[in-house]
Amino acid sequence: MNDRSAALRADCDRRIGAQENQVDEDLTALRQLDERWATYRRVMRANVERFEESGNAVGAENYFVQRDLSALREVGAYAERLASEQSALCEEASRTIRAESEAGIERLRNERSRLPWD
């Protein structure tokens, strides 16, 4: 194998490795984002439960308590929907990143396989 062929192969190997590393970083970032949304969902759910307990202890018949609890339940439901949508978006982004990465890496491997061995 001559120096030029070796350099081209090394360049292809470097680009494949860089692509794989970038995909790993992107997927890790998406996992972390998804975990943050899951934590947010759990915290909101726990807070809604605490406020409901407190509201019931203060007086479940009180109009203002009922109004505030109703509003809080709405906010909790909205946060739950938002977190679920974000989780779905993260999953979709992960699938897209994997698919595009596989195609790009396959293209680089095909490019590498066509290089001369002399």
Side-chain angles (χ1 to χ4, degrees):
M1 186 177 335
N2 66 29
D3 289 342
R4 177 157 166 67
S5 294
L8 289 172
R9 286 187 181 284
D11 183 55
C12 278
D13 290 341
R14 182 193 56 77
R15 291 185 342 205
I16 289 170
Q19 176 86 20
E20 289 171 340
N21 289 339
Q22 185 61 49
V23 168
D24 289 343
E25 289 176 16
D26 291 347
L27 293 175
T28 298
L30 282 171
R31 260 191 309 280
Q32 291 171 344
L33 180 62
D34 195 37
E35 288 170 6
R36 281 189 290 240
W37 276 104
T39 300
Y40 177 71
R41 179 187 299 164
R42 284 191 301 275
V43 167
M44 284 299 294
R45 192 177 303 135
N47 284 340
V48 167
E49 290 172 5
R50 272 192 213 111
F51 279 104
E52 283 184 349
E53 289 172 8
S54 298
N56 289 331
V58 168
E61 297 81 31
N62 185 315
Y63 165 78
F64 296 106
V65 169
Q66 290 304 314
R67 182 194 65 189
D68 292 347
L69 286 175
S70 177
L72 183 62
R73 285 184 201 111
E74 270 186 58
V75 170
Y78 175 75
E80 182 73 28
R81 278 192 314 272
L82 185 60
S84 294
E85 289 172 8
Q86 290 299 318
S87 181
L89 287 172
C90 286
E91 288 176 22
E92 183 180 337
S94 293
R95 283 191 301 272
T96 300
I97 288 170
R98 282 190 192 96
E100 289 176 359
S101 170
E102 289 172 7
I105 290 172
E106 186 63 29
R107 183 180 39 77
L108 289 170
R109 287 184 179 144
N110 286 336
E111 181 181 319
R112 185 180 185 275
S113 70
R114 290 191 299 270
L115 292 174
W117 281 93
D118 50 13

